[in-house]
C-alpha cells in the first residue's frame, strides 16, 4: 500500500494538499494498513518549502512502520507549474537533501528502502517518461479512454481510443495515439542522432509541450535541447525569494 504525505508538519501538509485534516487522516490510515500486516510505502512529496525536512520524513517513515519511502520531487505540471517559482528548490537545498538521504541509506540499510531522484529541472538529461511513450504503460481511465501516460490528454491533436469501442490489442498496436511518439522515428535533432535516444526516448512529451510549445520537440530538461534556456531561467528564478502560492486549482 502506498500513501502520500505533502509534509511532516501537519499545517503545511494540509495546505499543500488543499484539505484540512489530511495529515491526521493519513496518519491514522497508515496505522490501519500496518495493523492488517500489509507492507507500507510512504511517498513524501518534496519541494522548496519542505525539502529541509527530509531527515524528519525518513524518521516518520520508520515511526509509521513503512518498509519503503519515496522522496518524490514535485512534477511541474498543472497547479505545480503555476506555482513553480514557489516550489522549485534551490541547488543548496537539493544538495543538502541528497546528503541527508545518502546518510540515511547507510544508517537504515536493511530496515528501510529509500528511493530518491534529482528533480527534472536540476538534471542534465531528461527522464525516460513512462519508460518511453507506448512502450510499457497503458492506463484505462474511468470513462474507458486508454492513454499512454496519465497526462497524455493535455496534448492537442490526438484522439485517444476507448476500451468501450476497441480492443486493448487494437489500441496498443494500431491506434495513432499510441504510435505517435513510440520508438525513435518521430524524433528530430538532437534526439535523432543522440546515443541516449533509446534510453530516455526524448524525455516527456507533455513537458516538451509545456516548456517548448511543441510535443514533438526534445524535452527542454535536456541540456542539449535548443529550448533548454527556459529551464535555466526557471532555476535562476528559484534562487530568488519565492512568491506566494496561487491556490486556485484547475477544474
Amino acid at each position: 500500500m502506498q500513501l502520500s504525505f505533502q509534509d511532516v508538519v501537519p499545517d503545511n501538509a494540509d495546505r499543500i494538499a488543499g484539505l484540512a485534516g489530511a495529515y491526521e487522516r493519513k496518519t491514522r490510515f497508515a496505522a490501519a494498513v500496518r495493523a492488517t500486516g500489509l507492507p507500507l510505502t510512504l511517498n513524501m512529496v518534496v519541494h522548496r518549502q519542505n525539502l529541509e525536512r527530509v531527515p524528519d520524513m525518513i524518521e516518520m517513515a520508520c515511526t509509521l512502520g513503512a518498509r519503503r519511502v519515496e522522496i518524490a520531487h514535485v512534477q511541474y505540471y498543472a497547479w505545480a507549474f503555476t506555482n513553480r517559482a514557489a516550489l522549485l528548490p534551490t541547488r543548496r537545498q537539493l544538495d543538502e537533501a541528497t546528503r541527508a538521504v545518502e546518510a540515511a541509506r547507510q544508517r537504515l540499510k536493511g530496515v528501510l528502502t529509500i528511493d530518491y531522484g534529482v528533480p527534472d529541472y536540476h538534471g542534465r538529461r531528461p527522464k525516460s517518461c513512462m519508460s518511453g511513450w507506448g512502450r510499457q504503460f497503458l492506463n484505462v481511465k474511468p470513462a474507458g479512454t486508454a492513454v499512454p501516460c496519465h497526462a497524455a490528454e493535455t496534448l492537442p491533436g490526438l484522439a485517444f481510443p476507448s476500451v468501450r469501442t476497441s480492443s486493448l490489442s487494437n489500441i496498443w498496436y494500431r491506434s495513432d495515439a499510441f504510435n505517435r511518439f513510440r520508438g525513435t522515428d518521430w524524433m528530430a535533432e538532437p534526439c535523432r542522432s543522440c546515443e541516449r535516444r533509446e534510453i530516455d526516448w526524448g524525455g516527456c512529451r507533455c513537458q516538451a509541450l509545456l516548456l517548448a510549445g511543441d510535443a514533438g520537440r526534445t524535452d527542454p530538461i535536456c541540456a542539449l535541447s535548443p529550448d533548454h534556456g527556459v529551464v535555466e531561467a526557471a532555476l535562476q528564478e528559484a534562487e530568488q525569494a519565492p512568491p506566494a502560492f496561487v491556490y486556485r486549482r484547475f477544474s
Side-chain angles (χ1 to χ4, degrees), residues 137-176:
F137 181 85
L138 183 150
N139 181 36
V140 179
K141 307 192 81 171
T145 305
V147 292
C149 89
H150 301 86
E153 288 179 296
T154 63
L155 304 184
L158 288 177
F160 292 98
S162 172
V163 295
R164 296 177 183 274
T165 57
S166 185
S167 69
L168 286 176
S169 176
N170 193 56
I171 290 170
W172 183 258
Y173 290 109
R174 287 175 284 280
S175 69
D176 173 65

Side-chain angles (χ1 to χ4, degrees), residues 234-251:
L235 290 172
Q236 291 175 5
E237 185 180 18
E239 296 298 327
Q240 304 170 5
F245 279 114
V246 177
Y247 278 103
R248 180 181 178 184
R249 294 177 183 266
F250 294 91
S251 59

Side-chain angles (χ1 to χ4, degrees), residues 4 7 11 14 35 40 46 50 91 126 131 163 166 204 214 226 248:
S4 293
D7 204 341
D11 288 346
D14 292 354
L40 175 66
V46 295
N50 69 4
R91 188 70 207 190
S131 298
V163 295
S166 185
C204 177
D214 182 350
R248 180 181 178 184

Side-chain angles (χ1 to χ4, degrees), residues 30-95:
V33 170
R34 293 299 300 124
T36 68
L38 288 172
L40 175 66
T41 292
L42 294 191
N43 183 294
M44 306 303 297
V45 183
V46 295
H47 43 79
R48 181 188 187 111
Q49 302 200 16
N50 69 4
L51 196 56
E52 72 276 8
R53 291 190 284 278
V54 161
D56 297 325
M57 295 175 185
I58 294 171
E59 290 306 312
M60 177 181 175
C62 293
T63 300
L64 292 178
R67 296 184 185 176
R68 178 170 167 264
V69 61
E70 295 181 1
I71 309 297
H73 285 271
V74 164
Q75 297 292 304
Y76 296 100
Y77 305 100
W79 180 83
F81 183 78
T82 300
N83 290 280
R84 184 178 63 183
L87 294 170
L88 189 63
T90 65
R91 188 70 207 190
R92 178 190 60 78
Q93 284 182 302
L94 179 61
D95 289 344

